[in-house]
Each structure stands twice: as C-alpha cells, then as structure tokens.
Amino acid sequence: MKNIILTILFCNVLIFPQQNSVGLISKTDNVSDGYILLNPISLKTTYLIDNNGEKVHEWKSEHNALISYLLPNGNLVRTIFLDNENFDGVGGSTGGIEILSWNGEIIWNYELSTSNKMLHHDIEILPNGNILAICWKKINLERMLQLGRDPELHFDHDGNILEELWGEEIIEINPISGEIVWKWNVFEHVVQNFSDTLENFNSVSQNYQLIDINKGHTGDWLHFNSLDYNEYLDQILITSPFSNEIYIIDHSTTNFESSSHQGGNYEMGGDILYRWGNPAMYDMGDFDDQKLFFVHDAQWIDEEKGIIRFFNNGGGFRNYSTVETIQTPLNEHGKYDIDSSGVFSPIKSKIDYNEGSFDTFFSAGISGSQQLSNGNILICEGIKGKVFEIDNNKNIVWEYVNPVNNSGILNYNESPSRNPLFQVRKYPLDYGVLNEKELIPYGPIESYNILSLESYNEDHEDVLIKNYPNPFNSSTKISYFLNKSSDVNISIYNILGEKILNVKNAFIEKGHYSFNWNLKNKDGQNINSGVYFFIIKTDEAHISHKLILIK
C-alpha cells in the first residue's frame, strides 16, 4: 500500500455545483474501480480520468483522433485525422495512426491516405504488437462492372453514374518495420447473380460465405466501423452498419490463402466464417428478419464460448438504441454451424440495455460498450457524448458527459451539444503501468470559470494562495494574500460540493494571512481519502486550491 500523501495542486476553480451538465453527473459505490480513457473527437488531447471525473493523465498531439487505446506499457495508440480530398467529408475517415509515449512523445507514426486507399474507423492491437486496421479500397467503374456490379445501382441522387465503389481491406501492420504483413480484401470474396458472363456468378443464398456485390450501399459500400480479435480462435470480428451485419473471418491464413476460398485453420481461406444481423444480405430473409440497425463496436466478451456483444444503434430504422449479446453457434472445431433453414443462429439476441425511447437512450451513430471485470457494462452513447456504467440489474452506477465540443472545453453548467465520443474504454487499476504510476487527480476537464494565478502580479491579482510543506501527511500551513480589503468567506469543500469546514467568514483587510489545517472536518473527525478544495470567495473573485489525499 502506498504511503499517505496529501498534495496541493495549483488549480483555481469555483465551488462545484450540486449538479453538472457536463463532466461527472453521478457516481455510486457500485462503480467498478478503474480509469476511463476519454478521447474527445474535437480536441487534440486524450485524457485518462478517474471515477470522480478528474484528470489523472493526458496526452497532447498535433492531431485530432477518432479512437485511442492504452497499451500496458503506458503508450497510447491513436487513429488520427489526416486531410484527403479523395475521401473528404466521409464519417470515420482517419488516414493515420500514431503511438505516443506516456510522456506524449511520438514513438511511431503511420499514414495510409492516398487517392484510392485510406485508413478509417477502428484498429485492433494484436498480442504480438502488430496493429489491425480498416482501410477503404476504391475500384473504378470498369473493375466493378467486371466483378458483376449492376450498373443500375450506381447512380447518385441526380442521376449521374458513380465512377467508383469503395470496398474494404483489413490490414495488419508491423509497427517496427511499418510493413503490411497480412491483408484481407473484400473484393476477393464477393458473389453476384447479375450476369453469368461476368466474374463470381452464383447465388448468394447458396454461398453465405461470400458477400453479394449488388447488395448494400453505392459509393461507400460496406463502411466497416469496428474490429475485434479473438486470440483463442485466431479470428477477426467486423461490423458493417451499411449491410447491418457482423462478420467473422479467419486470421490464421497466409496472404495467399486470405485471398482465396481455401486454407487456414478453418479451411475457408478468407471467406466469411459467420455472419449475423441481416439474413436478407444472403437472400435468406427480409426486413422483418433484420436484427441489426447501423451496428457499432462488436466485441467478443467470451472468446472460447463465442459470445459477442454489440451496440445496436437503430439509426435510420428506429428511434432507440440497444446493447445486445448473442451466443454464436460455435462448434468444437472453431467453425459456426448454420441451421437447416440456411440461416445463422441465434434467432434472438439478449438485450443487455434498452430504455426503448428516443428521449432516454438513442445514438443514431458511433457509440459502443465494454464488459468490465466486475460484471458491470460501460456504455458510450456516442452522439450525446454520454458515458455510463450499469450493474447487473441495469442500474446506472456512474454517469459522465463529455465536456468538450467543437468550440472547446465547456463550462460545467453549459448544455452539451456537438460533443460526440466514438467509443470509450475503461482500464482496471492494475492494468499494466497504471499499477506503478502515482496517478494524482488534478481537476476536471470542464471549466469552472477559471481565474488563473499562474503568474501573480500585485497590480491586478486579488488573491494568492500558497502552502507549506508540500507534500504532507499530517497537517499543512496554508498562506494566502489579499491584494484588496474585502468581505471574505473561506471554507473547505469535498468533491461533491459539500462544505466540510468553515474557516472564516468576515471582513478582512488587505494583507497576508495563514491557516493550519490538521485534516479534520467541522465535526472534528478525520477526513477520508479524496479530493478537497480550499476556497476563498471575495467580493470580486472565487479562488480555489485543490487538495488530494491518496492512500
């Protein structure tokens, strides 16, 4: 156990209100221990926050990022936004990946952003340190017609024919060499029944392992948006919100096998091992059979049993979202059994969270969830920038709203808007280097009408607060200077905004003063570990120094 340390950090804020609009909204004792990695899309900073909604670490970059992942060694992997006029304005386009050290130094940078290829959306860090990434791959009109694409499907809203189709590649990058060491290309696993004179002619209902090139969107055809890796099975899980399906493919293949229909552990090459969510995509159902609606963030929550959870957005189809789990028909050979009707089970999913109305739980796009070690589920309602944790009874035990939008950092009581989060991940206290770092909270992200005291100048600053010793573990002397005579209220508050000690409430002349605090509250009781604020309110200023007790 670490020694008890109480530290004064020089952070100047107003008293916390009874209820924030952004930042920490609520917390109960049933919240899981850990730190939340928060990646505001509109900011070039990624934050690590604690359950009190306070920053314990941050990484600054030259780039905004869509997603960030923390590695056990403390490095941060971010999918960064790069300009590319060939993919301009398309949701999820990134173009680059960077790895930052714990101290924010750039360790590695990778870019794939050309006229016909671009990284987008998610990445997955493999056990060997390689990185799986999603990449758009464009083909021209001539090639898509050779593959059997029906030209009648390729018109925009004005009736103009579209000259390209965006397919998908999954690539594996070695971050040491920067080489692509493995690749899967969707165009090598397509089928069509448009013309028997063209490539890949067959029936998709008899070839569920292939994707019908004439089903789905024009332009950006499938729009893959998340990846997950199953080390036990050596398989990759993919979500497609445009086809409203999840796919599983074999990662054990060689590059040659991944481009074919044979080979690998499951003897199917790079063909689809399992698909679920919209059987109409392989002509085995209609809209009434569709289960997924603009799906995001599918993950295995039990790799050996083949249990998968996903965020079922509902965007474009219904006005509510759900978090759901399915038990895949995984057999003892690592393959997936298809039932006698030619459809992959299950018929129904298990609903893990669903409020069932637009007002309470709905994110038309982005979003995700995470299974936590104590059985709780962390949910990101992405469009609203809302993150919350539920227990086994679906009670919300922790809630937080992203306090950053495209205008910058919000004040604590501002109504949040344009503050999306693509997804959020939580890391346990003993995750990698987190168990070794002394993570001292140093304030919330949101603003509390900050008055800076970083450079004291007697001509214009009203209050200066200092303390000694620092750090300390029994008592401290807090000294403060008033540049103007004023009515003054001096108190100590806890993180909930509750006053625990009244120090002074009187008219005070300009001058130097001090207060010795022995870590007791107004009832003479010793205080517990946590965050506290020494607050001075004058006629013209509200100033605070933060005190943090860590055990």
Side-chain angles (χ1 to χ4, degrees), residues 126-128 130 132 170 172 181-183 229-230 233-236 249-254 258 264-266 269 273:
L126 296 179
N128 65 359
N130 288 355
L132 289 177
I170 308 298
E172 180 180 340
V181 297
W182 183 88
K183 181 174 67 174
Y229 176 70
N230 187 321
L233 297 171
D234 202 5
Q235 296 175 1
I236 299 170
I249 61 174
D250 187 0
H251 177 257
S252 72
T253 56
T254 64
S258 72
N265 291 345
Y266 307 101
L273 300 177

Side-chain angles (χ1 to χ4, degrees), residues 227-242:
L227 292 173
D228 196 33
Y229 176 70
N230 187 321
E231 183 178 8
Y232 178 77
L233 297 171
D234 202 5
Q235 296 175 1
I236 299 170
L237 175 62
I238 308 163
T239 56
S240 170
F242 284 7

